[in-house]
Structures are given as C-alpha cells and as structure tokens.
Amino acid sequence: MTKANGNGAVPVRESQRRSMQQHAEGPAAMLAIGTANPTGLVIPQDQFADDIFRMTKTDHLTQLKEKMKRICQKTGIEKRYFHVNEESIGANPEFLDRKLPSLDARIDMVATAVPKLAQSAATKAIAEWGRPATDITHLVFSTYSACQAPSFDLQLATLLGLRPTVSRTILSLNGCYGGGRALHLAKQLAENNHGARVLVACAELTLVCFGAPDGSNLIGTALFGDGAGAVIVGAGPFSEGERPLFEMVSATQTTIPRTEHVLGMQVSRAGVDFHLGIQVPTLIGQNVKQCLIDTFGTDAPCSDWNDLFWAVHPGGRQILDNIDTVLKLEPGKLASSRHVLREYGNMSGATIVFVLDELRRRRKEAGGDNPLLPEWGAMLAFGPGITIEAMVLRAPPLHE
Ligand SMILES: CCCCCCCCCCCCCCCCCC(=O)SCCNC(=O)CCNC(=O)[C@H](O)C(C)(C)COP(=O)(O)OP(=O)(O)OC[C@H]1O[C@@H](n2cnc3c(N)ncnc32)[C@H](O)[C@@H]1OP(=O)(O)O
C-alpha cells in the first residue's frame, strides 16, 4: 500500500512511475515507408477482360465478358499486378469452380507468398529508417489472407530477424480499412510505450478470393490487385537520422450504422468469398464529412477542405468522385489516390500505404518546405462494416 508522506502528498507507486514514464513525447509519426508488388503477372486494364476470360476458360460467357469490358473502362485503372498466373491457375483447376473445395490449396500458396511480399516492402521501409531491424519493438500485420496460426506476423518477424520479444498483432479480414486500422493501432502503441518503434505491414494477394468471373464477382475482379506496404511508426524522442514524414495527430474509427450487409468477406471451402454492394460509393459519400468533423473536432476546416492535403484509400473511382463532390475538393487534391488506383488498382489494406508514399514523393518534388503546401492533412480508409478509419496528419516542415 502507498501511504501519505509527512507533507500530505501521496507518493507515486514505483509501478505507477514506470507506467507514467512509458508514455512517449508528442504524437506518433510515420518515419519510413516501403511498398512492393509481385513480379509474376502485370495485366493492362484494357486487356484484362480478354485475359481473365481466357485464363479461366469462360470465353463462352460473352455477355458477362462485355460487361467486364464496360466496367474495366470505368475503373480509372491502367494496370494491376498479380501473384497468380496462367500456369498456377492451370495447375489448380478447382480455383475456377466455387463448388469444389480449394481453400487448402490457396492457403498453401499464400503461406509463403504473403510473408515474402511483406518482407520486400518492410525491407525497404527499414532501409529508409536507417536503424537495425532489431530496434523494432512491435509488429502489426494486416491481411485478408490469414487462415493459420502461428501466422504471417511470426513468419515476417523471422524473415526480418526481429527480436523474439517483438510484440506481434495480426489483423485479419479487415479488407480495405486494414491499413488504416494498423496505422491507428501503431499510433496508440507508439504513444503509450516510451521508445517503441512499430512496424506496420499490410500484404494482400487476391489469390484467396480469385475465381472464374460470374454474376457476383465482376466488380471485385475488375478492381483488385496484389501489393504490400510497410511503415515504421514511432514517437519522440527521435534518434539521430529519424525524421517524421507525417505526424499522426488524432484518429477515429466510425461504423456506418446498419451497413453490415453491404460490404463483406467470408472464408468458405472455396476460398474467401466477397460481396461489394452497389450502394458502397453513395454510403461513403454520405458519411465522410461527419466522420472528418468528428476526427478533427474543433479544428475541422469545415469552410474549405481544400486547406488540407489528402491521403484517401481509392476503393474505386466512384468512391473518389463522390468524396470530391461532397467535400468540394479542387481537381488534383486526390491526385495521389488516383495515381495509385491507376498504376496498381485496389490492393485492399495495402493501398493506403502506397498513397502515403506517393503523397510524400509529390510533396518532396514540390519542395518539402514550400509554404504553399498544406501542413495539415487527412487520411481515410474504408472497408467492411462499413468502417471508416480517419486520421489527422501533419507534415512537419523539413527544418523543424
Ligand atoms: C489473374 C487475375 C486475378 C484477378 C483477381 C481479382 C480477385 C478479386 C479479389 C477481390 C478481393 C475482395 C476484397 C474485398 C475487400 C473489401 C472491399 C473494400 O473493403 S472497399 C471498396 C470497394 N469498392 C467498391 O465498392 C467499388 C466502387 N465502385 C466504383 O468505383 C464504380 O462503381 C465502378 C468503377 C466499379 C464502375 O463505375 P460506374 O461509374 O459506377 O459505372 P456504371 O454506373 O456505368 O456501372 C458499370 C456497370 O457496373 C455495374 N455495377 C457498378 N457497381 C456494382 C456493384 N457494386 N455490383 C454489381 N454491379 C455493379 C453497373 O450496374 C453497370 O452495369 P451495366 O449497366 O453496364 O450492366
């Protein structure tokens, strides 16, 4: 028990003191970013309908193929990267028939491919960070491919040579908000553990969802691609050489009520089934402003959202268009998101890391200290729930 001392003050318990010292100085920040894509197969979007119907032996479904062509033209995507290729599809004919069990074969393939892709992205982030991988204290791994334990987080820790004491968390099936959720969690871990350095890794392979085109999967098949992103997150004090790219000032998670049925994923004997409701872009457009007001609080720049820089998950072209409209954004405000959508498609949870990487590249090109560049920004990611992860960002001037 702790007793009052002579002058009436209550001494702090040793455990309390330790816990108080555990808090970091200032908000967490992203310190380095890395991305990677599989090198096996790159499909230009204007060729995608022909390729996918040929590869899945469904060329006879002419109406469906025409619809796929119409959708592909409207996606704002130019190309996508995939781990699967004609050979691996040919070797696993059960992938093309949802009535046949194929989960085991898919799990076998992602078991090595997902951690390897995450390793490529993480190695780049660690190299940019400049400190040894053994200085990483926490790992948060997000993916929709995890169906095993121990899982990809342990495999990645081993591949990177992290310490056995690294504190691991795996986030599964968070879909497109997985990257936002992992960054939000990393912020809380870094701010509440003095000296913590958190590796966020997101790796997504469509292999677990992939199937022959049918009436229910056309939109997903036209939009999604494979990729991995990694971010090192830490809070002050910063060591020499560490430089905050984006401070993570505040964050919220919002679930749009009664939308559970609109967007979802489910593990089945035939892999991971997914459902993307036609209302998704409208629902996100209707709810995004309130969500931002809640995240910014009294600092919300309600009069003009153009005062901010933007890192928005490009879930689909229509989602970006609706956000542009409701927030009255000037052309170019979502340029980093549209660039990533164009070059890679929707890589689910990993996509937001690509957007952040592109954003910092563009800001650097424009001259990091350019006073015309907004200092404050917003990050948004959406996924099943419908869940919206939002974060207020600050890009510190280079000389700070
Ligand atoms: C080797 C290759 C391997 C490939 C593998 C690929 C595997 C897939 C893997 C999937 C992974 C799934 C992960 C799921 C994760 C959760 C997703 C998220 O969290 S978050 C975010 C998820 N992202 C989204 O939710 C996508 C947001 N949507 C969009 O951005 C746009 O709607 C658009 C770009 C798709 C079309 O542009 P838009 O201006 O709307 O153009 P139009 O109005 O002209 O429509 C064209 C045609 O499309 C129709 N149609 C439209 N929507 C739907 C639908 N949902 N439903 C059905 N149909 C739909 C529409 O009726 C029309 O048909 P028709 O009259 O011609 O017959």
Side-chain angles (χ1 to χ4, degrees):
M1 289 290 289
T2 312
K3 290 185 185 149
N5 62 17
N7 59 18
V10 180
V12 176
R13 287 194 191 101
E14 182 50 30
S15 59
Q16 271 178 312
R17 193 191 313 281
R18 272 207 310 273
S19 136
M20 282 159 66
Q21 284 171 347
Q22 278 174 5
H23 291 275
E25 293 168 15
M30 300 178 208
L31 303 173
I33 301 174
T35 65
N37 299 92
T39 46
L41 180 64
V42 189
I43 306 187
Q45 190 78 342
D46 58 6
Q47 198 181 297
F48 182 76
D50 286 331
D51 284 2
I52 193 73
F53 279 76
R54 187 194 69 250
M55 285 158 75
T56 57
K57 302 183 174 39
T58 48
D59 264 323
H60 57 285
L61 303 174
T62 47
Q63 282 192 354
L64 212 54
K65 188 168 162 184
E66 284 312 307
K67 181 161 175 168
M68 174 67 98
K69 282 187 177 169
R70 285 199 298 282
I71 293 171
C72 282
Q73 280 167 4
K74 300 210 162 176
T75 53
I77 297 171
E78 278 182 11
K79 64 175 186 300
R80 288 179 283 160
Y81 296 78
F82 298 102
H83 176 77
V84 287
N85 53 31
E86 205 139 8
E87 197 183 326
S88 54
I89 295 172
N92 294 276
E94 69 276 23
F95 287 1
L96 305 183
D97 185 346
R98 300 305 279 184
K99 291 194 283 304
L100 296 177
S102 61
L103 185 62
D104 287 353
R106 294 175 197 257
I107 290 177
D108 276 353
M109 286 170 76
V110 294
T112 46
V114 167
K116 271 196 169 167
L117 191 60
Q119 181 191 15
S120 304
T123 303
K124 290 179 197 166
I126 293 167
E128 181 192 346
W129 178 41
R131 286 175 56 177
T134 44
D135 284 358
I136 290 166
T137 55
H138 297 72
L139 168 62
V140 183
F141 196 122
S142 179
T143 180
Y144 60 68
S145 296
C147 298
Q148 284 176 313
S151 195
F152 302 140
D153 54 332
L154 179 55
Q155 281 168 274
L156 180 63
T158 308
L159 287 168
L160 294 172
L162 306 188
R163 286 178 188 273
T165 53
V166 72
S167 185
R168 293 178 283 109
T169 305
I170 184 135
L171 307 177
S172 179
L173 288 176
N174 284 355
C176 299
Y177 77 89
R181 178 91 285 260
L183 287 165
H184 188 163
L185 199 56
K187 165 181 166 56
Q188 291 169 336
L189 288 168
E191 290 171 0
N192 287 290
N193 294 279
H194 193 267
R197 289 297 176 265
V198 188
L199 170 61
V200 167
C202 309
E204 310 287 24
L205 291 187
T206 49
L207 167 56
V208 287
C209 306
F210 162 78
D214 60 31
S216 69
N217 67 10
L218 278 196
I219 295 290
T221 305
L223 290 183
F224 285 85
D226 299 353
V231 183
I232 305 283
V233 174
F238 297 112
S239 61
E240 210 186 313
E242 282 186 329
R243 216 193 75 73
L245 302 169
F246 298 110
E247 282 177 8
M248 305 155 92
V249 180
S250 61
T252 59
Q253 185 189 75
T254 305
T255 311
I256 306 176
R258 297 173 297 284
T259 58
E260 300 91 308
H261 58 285
V262 175
L263 188 58
M265 307 176 81
Q266 180 160 330
V267 181
S268 75
R269 289 184 336 140
V272 175
D273 299 333
F274 60 91
H275 165 66
L276 306 175
I278 201 158
Q279 327 79 309
V280 171
T282 307
L283 284 165
I284 291 173
Q286 285 168 345
N287 287 276
V288 73
K289 194 188 273 185
Q290 186 55 48
C291 173
L292 285 162
I293 290 169
D294 293 343
T295 316
F296 277 85
T298 50
D299 295 325
C302 299
S303 58
D304 194 353
W305 295 100
N306 288 296
D307 292 345
L308 303 175
F309 63 83
W310 290 89
V312 178
H313 168 64
R317 197 218 72 242
Q318 189 66 48
I319 294 175
L320 296 180
D321 291 353
N322 288 1
I323 290 176
D324 264 341
T325 304
V326 295
L327 300 179
K328 299 188 176 69
L329 295 181
E330 289 159 4
K333 275 285 164 184
L334 300 185
S336 298
S337 303
R338 290 190 191 275
H339 171 89
V340 170
L341 183 65
R342 190 167 61 242
E343 295 301 317
Y344 306 96
N346 179 346
M347 297 165 288
S348 198
T351 324
I352 195 67
V353 181
F354 281 71
V355 175
L356 290 161
D357 195 26
E358 179 62 19
L359 185 63
R360 61 96 172 240
R361 195 186 63 74
R362 285 172 184 244
R363 288 180 66 89
K364 195 172 171 198
E365 246 176 44
D369 275 337
N370 185 337
L372 296 174
L373 288 174
E375 182 178 347
W376 294 86
M379 184 186 89
L380 289 168
F382 329 96
I386 293 174
T387 307
I388 304 181
E389 283 282 343
M391 191 178 281
V392 177
L393 301 176
R394 176 176 171 267
L398 287 177
H399 57 266
E400 201 174 272

